Amino acid sequence: MIRFLSVFLLQLSCNSFANGDKVAVIVNNKVITEKEIFARKNFIITLQGLNSLGPKDHEYLKIAARQSLIDEILIEEDAKKYRIEASDQDVQNFVKNVETSRKIPNGYFKSKFGTNPELYNSFLKKMKGELIQSRLNNEMFIRQLQVHEREIDDLAIKTPTLIKIKNG
């Protein structure tokens, strides 16, 4: 999916919120702050168990964190076109499903990131983006799926108990 996007990098020294958090990027009128990028970078470091990082590593991770946040905004915007959303409860259920499917102890992510609210919020935001991306992918797949009458007829002939045809 290719499209033209307006992503403006702002001078950090000139743009800040009331709490002193500096604006780093604006993506289609949505603000990403330095604090959010820092939290996402730390989330990546914690999740991957990275140690002994040099300045270049931190810079690379900062760029990766910023791009991850930009991608999440763009995915959410695409999803809104198809009325795809994810509530907080949906995200919590998704996290539980991830833990279960990967045989991770229940509540592992909350115990790993929950002591640091910024890390945990970044984790939840990332999970919400993953859930929305999954739902969007499913929607795109379903929209491209075409079943022809001939295929339905063949299936009805091969498995008559599976498909009941109403007469009249």
Side-chain angles (χ1 to χ4, degrees):
M1 177 180 350
I2 299 173
R3 62 186 165 192
F4 181 75
L5 304 172
S6 306
V7 178
F8 299 101
L9 295 174
L10 301 175
Q11 291 181 350
L12 299 177
S13 61
C14 297
N15 301 291
S16 61
F17 289 115
N19 66 0
D21 193 12
K22 295 180 180 179
V23 174
V25 180
I26 298 177
V27 182
N28 297 341
N29 296 321
K30 293 192 178 181
V31 173
I32 298 173
T33 66
E34 279 294 313
K35 188 175 182 179
E36 289 173 301
I37 293 171
F38 183 76
R40 180 57 58 91
K41 181 184 91 165
N42 287 336
F43 163 71
I44 294 168
I45 290 169
T46 303
L47 183 65
Q48 299 297 325
L50 302 174
N51 297 317
S52 304
L53 297 173
K56 285 186 179 183
D57 297 321
H58 281 283
E59 188 58 33
Y60 171 78
L61 288 172
K62 182 178 177 181
I63 292 167
R66 182 178 62 219
Q67 189 60 51
S68 175
L69 291 165
I70 291 169
D71 291 346
E72 287 170 18
I73 288 172
L74 298 175
I75 288 166
E76 271 193 55
E77 287 181 1
D78 278 351
K80 284 181 184 177
K81 294 175 190 173
Y82 301 99
R83 296 186 181 137
I84 296 171
E85 297 176 347
S87 70
D88 290 343
Q89 186 60 51
D90 292 337
V91 174
Q92 293 297 331
N93 292 338
F94 181 67
V95 170
K96 286 179 186 176
N97 289 337
V98 168
E99 289 173 336
T100 301
S101 68
R102 296 187 181 164
K103 298 180 181 171
I104 297 171
N106 188 21
Y108 170 79
F109 293 113
K110 184 158 185 133
S111 68
K112 184 163 181 83
F113 303 117
T115 57
N116 182 331
E118 289 177 0
L119 277 182
Y120 191 61
N121 288 337
S122 188
F123 165 73
L124 291 176
K125 190 171 182 178
K126 178 67 174 165
M127 290 296 98
K128 182 177 183 177
E130 294 291 328
L131 176 58
I132 289 172
Q133 178 69 61
S134 175
R135 288 178 175 178
L136 186 58
N137 290 345
N138 288 341
E139 178 69 22
M140 296 297 97
F141 176 75
I142 289 169
R143 287 179 180 268
Q144 292 178 3
L145 185 65
Q146 295 180 6
V147 180
H148 298 282
E149 283 187 42
R150 172 85 180 173
E151 292 171 303
I152 295 171
D153 292 343
D154 288 346
L155 182 62
I157 291 168
K158 291 178 185 173
T159 55
T161 57
L162 182 63
I163 299 175
K164 295 181 181 180
I165 300 173
K166 292 184 179 181
N167 292 334

